[in-house]
Amino acid sequence: MSQLDLVALVCCDLGAIVRGRSLPSPELTASLDSGVGWVPANHALTPLGPLAEVNPFGSTGDLRLRPDAETHVRLEGDAHETALEFVLCDIVETDGRPWECCPRAFLREALAELESELGARVMASFEHEFQLVRDARAELPFSLAAQRAAEPFASTVMAGLQEAGAEPERFMAEFADHQYEIPVAPAAGISCADRSVVVREVVREIARRHGMRASFAPLAEPSAPGNGAHIHFSLLDSSGAPLLYDSARPACLSELAERFAAGILLHAGALCALCAPSPCSALRLAPHHWSAGAVCVGQRNREALLRVPPLLSLAGGEEAPQLRLEYRAADAAANPYLALGALVRAGLDGVRRQLPAPPILELDPSQLDAAEMKRYGVAGLPDSLEGALRALADDEQARAWMSPLLYDAYVDLKRAELEAVAELDVGEVCARYAAVY
Ligand code: GLU
Ligand code: MG
């Protein structure tokens, strides 16, 4: 039988699931303006399968998935596999106006605010960890043996990511069983969130072609290390000069960086509802998972919510362009556009309020007693998704980052997920989500 090449027009939904519709590849150019049909209630589909019964959309309405041609990805097939071809889309009204619940529009608005208020642009990269689901015995953490055990997947996925324009930098074995990490180069604005979607889908596809599943789930099992999606970001001015660096200040953070960081700490609870948003996400954030044990800024500190990674002076490296902040609480259950958009809004709020510089913590925050926690201004993160949703509900400002419709849709979706797993124990919740992400 012959085969018709298909291209999928897709969006990343509120639960970070990539969904859409396919058309014959040769028709893509003709469909760039009008896209394909979409339905508001698709945004009420839970990552667990069923539709959230309570949702603000109901059965009415029509939208379009409108492709952004710059995001076109094509991974060639081979004798056994068809090509993977997709284009990321904006979700728009039938007259082309952005839909108020479109995640790309949410990020675009946050970036526009950043640009108009501070003249700043974001460069960012999502650092994805994932686990290969396979029967083989796990090799030791970070070992060459663990890297070799991932062949030929490892080499193929790096080629695939390159082909997809995702600029992969490293392939690393991580700590947990069959856990790997592929950092990719930072990209500007909306492209870095697009890149996060592309990385996940290409990794999943190449794993599938090798007879495996790649799981980006926050925590495959309660006692193991989790899979993070740390967000590394810097701010640049219109000429491309770095704005977060000042060699004369603690941790080389400029005053702008300090205020931006303080805004993220201020809204840390609400941010968890968008950045670590599955019923098992908070478990990953417990102390000593080297994820984000407490709400603080740390230099080279892997238990801090915001980490300042090291600046290399070897090989004549210039420091200023290297300086970035790493938000460590995010995981792959988060929609990357909502996560980054919310971080930008939180940071901007810190700048607007001219918040004081947060102390830079060099210690493991779990070693602090109550008085020291207070002195350093260190707090805990919500210990459940319910807690994160409560923090969001209580944070009037964070709530207003979203339109009322988007807020309702998001909270309804998360409540439906919580209800669906209410009877499961933590191990079962982790397993349920490991099978989805
Ligand atoms: N696996 C850790 C997490 O869940 C991150 C480890 C690291 O790369 O620092 O966030
Ligand atoms: Mg890692």
Side-chain angles (χ1 to χ4, degrees):
M1 288 291 286
S2 63
Q3 290 168 335
L4 186 59
D5 263 2
L6 295 178
V7 55
L9 271 48
V10 296
C11 63
C12 182
D13 75 5
L14 301 182
I17 304 296
V18 172
R19 306 188 203 249
R21 299 178 179 183
S22 292
L23 46 84
S25 289
E27 287 173 29
L28 176 61
T29 313
S31 304
L32 285 179
D33 271 345
S34 57
V36 292
W38 202 236
V39 177
N42 284 345
H43 249 27
L45 287 167
T46 66
L48 300 172
L51 192 76
E53 259 175 55
V54 177
N55 75 70
F57 302 121
S59 59
T60 57
D62 281 289
L63 301 163
R64 306 295 293 179
L65 289 181
R66 193 185 213 183
D68 176 344
E70 292 199 2
T71 68
H72 181 240
V73 167
R74 186 181 160 92
L75 273 193
E76 288 310 325
D78 55 32
H80 311 286
E81 293 289 348
T82 55
L84 167 71
E85 190 173 1
F86 62 88
V87 189
L88 301 176
C89 297
D90 289 316
I91 311 176
V92 299
E93 304 279 358
T94 49
D95 61 6
R97 279 176 304 127
W99 184 43
E100 65 173 297
C101 298
C102 171
R104 285 181 109 228
F106 177 85
L107 175 55
R108 208 174 267 129
E109 261 175 48
L111 296 173
E113 233 168 82
L114 183 72
E115 177 114 44
S116 77
E117 280 185 45
L118 303 181
R121 290 180 298 127
V122 173
M123 281 295 281
S125 167
F126 288 72
E127 176 197 324
H128 279 295
E129 295 171 329
F130 60 93
Q131 282 163 285
L132 294 174
V133 181
R134 58 195 309 195
D135 289 333
R137 180 177 69 89
E139 300 292 347
L140 291 171
F142 310 107
S143 67
L144 178 58
Q147 294 225 24
R148 294 301 299 165
E151 290 293 359
F153 163 83
S155 303
T156 317
V157 81
M158 293 298 273
L161 287 168
Q162 224 161 46
E163 195 180 334
E167 298 188 90
E169 291 179 329
R170 307 273 186 277
F171 185 91
M172 291 152 55
E174 254 285 354
F175 200 87
D177 287 357
H178 306 296
Q179 189 184 32
Y180 297 96
E181 174 180 319
I182 307 182
V184 296
I190 210 155
S191 306
C192 70
D194 291 338
R195 184 166 283 185
S196 158
V197 176
V198 170
V199 167
R200 299 177 215 191
E201 294 311 313
V202 169
V203 169
R204 288 188 176 117
E205 166 74 6
I206 302 294
R208 191 184 66 79
R209 289 186 187 182
H210 287 86
M212 298 181 287
R213 254 198 92 236
S215 174
F216 291 77
L219 198 61
E221 46 176 300
S223 59
N227 296 303
H230 305 175
I231 306 174
H232 295 251
F233 64 91
S234 57
L235 301 182
L236 309 179
D237 72 11
S238 57
S239 69
L243 290 169
L244 298 185
Y245 177 84
D246 184 342
S247 61
R249 301 177 77 89
C252 293
L253 294 181
S254 66
E255 190 173 61
L256 177 74
E258 291 169 347
R259 290 176 175 168
F260 205 88
I264 290 173
L265 300 190
L266 179 70
H267 294 291
L271 284 170
C272 277
L274 292 159
C275 297
S278 82
C280 60
S281 292
L283 284 174
R284 177 187 146 252
L285 302 179
H288 300 146
H289 280 69
W290 285 27
S291 51
V295 180
C296 57
V297 180
Q299 196 173 15
R300 306 176 173 211
N301 188 339
R302 290 180 179 79
E303 282 286 310
L305 177 64
L306 274 178
R307 169 177 173 253
V308 188
L311 304 174
L312 307 184
S313 50
L314 49 79
E318 229 193 298
E319 287 192 346
Q322 293 178 48
L323 194 123
R324 61 190 194 276
L325 288 168
E326 177 186 9
Y327 174 81
R328 297 177 62 85
D331 65 48
N335 176 299
Y337 305 97
L338 298 186
L340 184 61
L343 280 182
V344 166
R345 301 269 190 180
L348 256 177
D349 190 43
V351 177
R352 279 185 202 131
R353 293 185 195 217
Q354 305 190 353
L355 291 178
I360 310 285
L361 197 73
E362 311 273 3
L363 303 163
D364 177 344
S366 69
Q367 289 170 353
L368 303 177
D369 61 30
E372 287 170 316
M373 295 265 286
K374 203 156 176 218
R375 183 151 55 85
Y376 282 111
V378 171
L381 285 160
D383 61 5
S384 64
L385 177 56
E386 289 95 329
L389 291 172
R390 237 181 350 260
L392 177 61
D394 292 345
D395 186 335
E396 211 173 304
Q397 213 157 3
R399 240 173 32 222
W401 298 335
M402 295 184 263
S403 74
L405 183 65
L406 176 57
Y407 178 77
D408 285 347
Y410 191 80
V411 171
D412 286 347
L413 185 82
K414 293 294 143 190
R415 295 222 174 284
E417 286 182 62
L418 283 169
E419 221 167 277
V421 300
E423 303 297 318
L424 306 185
D425 66 35
V426 282
E428 290 167 334
V429 177
C430 288
R432 188 75 188 82
Y433 277 82
V436 172
Y437 291 104

